[in-house]
Amino acid sequence: AKCLDDIDVSNASEDEKKSRRNELLTQLVHLTEGKIHVELEHARFAVQLSKIVESEGRRKEAVDMLGELHVETITNMPRIEKLSIILDELRLTLELDDLEKAPLVSRKFTYRALGKKDSTELKERYFFLMADYYSRKRQYLMMARCAHEVYLTAIGADVNKPIAEATKITSALTATKKKHDAEEDEDEDTAAAAASSSAAPALSPEQNAKAIESLSNCAVLTMIPEPLSEQAADDQGECAAFSPLSQQKNRLNWLAELEQNRLLQDGASQVHGLVKSFNSLDLVRHEVLPQAQELSQQHALLSSNTDRIAELNHRLSEHDILVIAKVFTRIKISKLAELVSLTEEQCEQFIMSMVNIKVLYAKIDRLDGVISFERKKSAAEEVEEWNSTVAHMMGLVDRISHFIVKERMVHAVATAQQNTATATAQVVTAE
């Protein structure tokens, strides 16, 4: 290190300084390699050399240097320095478009390490890089989780605490918004108690803007993807250090939670309105399509990406088909196309794609032009359903019988008390 400082203060030209520094760092890295007592110094020399190599355009060589260090095993290196080095390795890996190595590098992080207060900036950098990775893989639900992690960081949620305790901050933010909508005639003591129990940490304007932006991105990215099975969601989520707070295996459940978020409702009302449409049991495509087109032109994640706009439109069509499947057991293809404002060929394509990913059960009779959404039940399933129905009915009968007996006993007690009172009054009168 002293030699490097002497090079910096020497009177040589910048090119000579750079050449000498490069040569000296190369020698130091070679001399300290494999020496356990100077592994920290070896890693730091290698990081400096990798930055020089990267500045010369040799990114492949730079990422190989960082990968050979295995800084996660160096016990005397500060944690922040470790995370920064691994982030540089992940960044270079993505710049080289090495999508096979990127998940291996990303697994060097844990949500507990990123969740500490002094790692906030590194956590945001990490999830921005992982969002870039998932964007290239077209895994939009995982991009939504990355945006949700940034949102949790902005509101100050502690991901290292139990889920029930850590989610109090999000609940408190929602409750703080709701208390302003309380009725005017509410008792003052009750209002004060509600305010104290729902107190949320105040967010700065910058934190509030970041929270709304990341929450809006999360909502948009949750509306785009195709429905996934729980196993597929788990497999995709293994590539990143997601905290338990952002774990969502069901896209529809996540949309329902986002609809209840008052921060999204107040800060991004246009996105919230579209989320609300996805959670409704109405046919929304024809009504919501103008709003979706307007959002596609304005939102940063959609305006420059035609594939995502097309996916959003597809999800609107699929939503309407799923709503119809809950109402009808059989329907003409022509009638279905009329209801969802699509052609018959488009309806068939959407239905086949949903059947393939096991989101919908359907059979198409091309001769009659009829679609059946009702699954034919086996004899065992019929018997099981009959047993369940009978058991439920018998439970209701027992409950009614219990209430009848209870009412008879109450009436008998009341009658006995009345008779006793009458008899007492007669005795007193006779005396």
Side-chain angles (χ1 to χ4, degrees):
K2 181 66 169 60
C3 296
L4 294 174
D5 294 337
D6 292 341
I7 291 175
D8 291 336
V9 299
S10 64
N11 295 326
S13 63
E14 290 298 327
D15 291 339
E16 291 179 354
K17 287 182 182 180
K18 186 176 181 180
S19 177
R20 291 180 185 178
R21 189 178 183 84
N22 194 352
E23 182 180 354
L24 181 58
L25 281 172
T26 303
Q27 294 176 0
L28 289 173
V29 169
H30 178 71
L31 290 173
T32 56
E33 186 177 4
K35 308 295 191 297
I36 191 171
H37 298 293
V38 291
E39 60 179 354
L40 177 59
E41 289 75 13
H42 168 73
R44 287 173 176 170
F45 289 144
V47 169
Q48 293 182 52
L49 183 59
S50 69
K51 291 180 179 178
I52 295 175
V53 171
E54 181 188 355
S55 65
E56 295 174 353
R58 295 179 289 167
R59 290 181 295 181
K60 176 62 177 173
E61 187 176 344
V63 75
D64 289 340
M65 287 183 183
L66 295 177
E68 292 172 357
L69 292 178
H70 301 291
V71 294
E72 64 274 10
T73 64
I74 303 177
T75 56
N76 58 340
M77 177 179 282
R79 181 177 55 86
I80 297 297
E81 187 176 358
K82 284 183 186 180
L83 296 177
S84 180
I85 293 172
I86 301 175
L87 273 177
D88 287 336
E89 182 184 358
L90 179 60
R91 173 181 57 81
L92 289 170
T93 303
L94 290 174
E95 288 179 0
L96 293 171
D97 203 22
D98 190 350
L99 300 184
E100 293 183 359
K101 184 180 178 181
L104 300 178
V105 179
S106 70
R107 291 192 187 103
K108 295 181 180 180
F109 294 87
T110 63
Y111 75 88
R112 295 188 182 277
L114 292 173
K116 298 184 181 295
K117 293 183 179 180
D118 56 353
S119 307
T120 301
E121 294 183 3
L122 296 177
K123 179 181 178 181
E124 291 183 1
R125 280 182 56 197
Y126 172 76
F127 282 108
F128 282 135
L129 290 173
M130 290 310 300
D132 182 24
Y133 165 76
Y134 285 121
S135 175
R136 302 183 192 195
K137 300 280 288 185
R138 297 172 63 88
Q139 295 174 352
Y140 299 119
L141 192 60
M142 297 300 109
M143 290 179 66
R145 288 188 68 177
C146 292
H148 193 256
E149 289 285 353
V150 177
Y151 161 71
L152 292 175
T153 305
I155 65 174
D158 189 350
V159 299
N160 290 326
K161 292 183 179 180
I163 295 179
E165 183 177 354
T167 50
K168 284 182 181 179
I169 295 180
T170 304
S171 302
L173 286 170
T174 303
T176 303
K177 294 285 186 181
K178 286 183 177 179
K179 74 177 183 179
H180 295 297
D181 301 331
E183 296 180 357
E184 294 182 358
D185 57 347
E186 184 179 8
D187 184 74
E188 293 182 359
D189 296 335
T190 305
S196 61
S197 63
S198 63
L203 299 180
S204 66
E206 182 180 354
Q207 288 177 319
N208 190 64
K210 184 183 294 185
I212 292 174
E213 180 185 3
S214 55
L215 198 59
S216 173
N217 292 340
C218 176
V220 169
L221 292 168
T222 306
M223 290 186 285
I224 291 175
E226 294 182 350
L228 293 176
S229 65
E230 291 188 3
Q231 184 61 42
D234 285 338
D235 293 342
Q236 291 182 6
E238 287 181 355
C239 296
F242 291 121
S243 67
L245 294 181
S246 68
Q247 185 175 7
Q248 283 288 354
K249 298 180 180 179
N250 190 311
R251 167 178 165 269
L252 297 179
N253 290 345
W254 203 348
L255 287 173
E257 291 185 11
L258 288 171
E259 182 184 354
Q260 302 301 322
N261 193 300
R262 289 296 297 269
L263 189 62
L264 179 66
Q265 181 177 353
D266 296 339
S269 57
Q270 188 178 24
V271 176
H272 181 268
L274 201 55
V275 170
K276 189 174 181 180
S277 299
F278 272 95
N279 292 325
S280 69
L281 294 178
D282 299 325
L283 302 180
V284 299
R285 185 181 185 277
H286 183 71
E287 179 182 351
V288 176
L289 193 57
Q291 301 176 19
Q293 292 174 348
E294 183 180 356
L295 180 65
S296 301
Q297 296 173 357
Q298 298 177 358
H299 202 279
L301 292 177
L302 299 174
S303 59
S304 58
N305 196 309
T306 55
D307 291 338
R308 294 176 186 173
I309 296 175
E311 291 290 342
L312 179 59
N313 293 333
H314 290 169
R315 298 294 87 76
L316 289 172
S317 300
E318 290 178 2
H319 170 271
D320 286 359
I321 292 175
L322 289 172
V323 169
I324 291 174
K326 293 179 181 179
V327 178
F328 293 88
T329 56
R330 290 164 55 86
I331 189 173
K332 287 277 189 179
I333 298 179
S334 57
K335 181 63 176 178
L336 176 63
E338 179 184 349
L339 290 174
V340 298
S341 303
L342 295 173
T343 64
E344 295 184 11
E345 292 77 10
Q346 289 174 328
C347 283
E348 289 189 15
Q349 290 177 357
F350 279 120
I351 289 174
M352 287 188 292
S353 65
M354 287 189 286
V355 169
N356 286 336
I357 59 178
K358 298 182 180 180
V359 175
L360 178 69
Y361 176 85
K363 280 188 175 182
I364 300 177
D365 186 346
R366 293 184 179 275
L367 295 178
D368 296 335
V370 175
I371 301 176
S372 175
F373 297 112
E374 187 177 18
R375 185 192 299 271
K376 186 177 181 181
K377 298 178 182 178
S378 64
E381 290 175 338
E382 293 281 0
V383 172
E384 183 178 357
E385 183 180 357
W386 182 83
N387 285 336
S388 176
T389 303
V390 171
H392 179 66
M393 182 186 66
M394 294 304 298
L396 293 177
V397 171
D398 289 341
R399 191 173 182 183
I400 293 172
S401 176
H402 170 73
F403 286 145
I404 292 173
V405 172
K406 181 180 178 180
E407 287 296 325
R408 285 179 175 175
M409 294 177 64
V410 170
H411 179 71
V413 169
T415 303
Q417 291 177 348
Q418 184 178 4
N419 294 337
T420 303
T422 303
T424 303
Q426 292 176 352
V427 170
V428 171
T429 303
E431 290 178 354

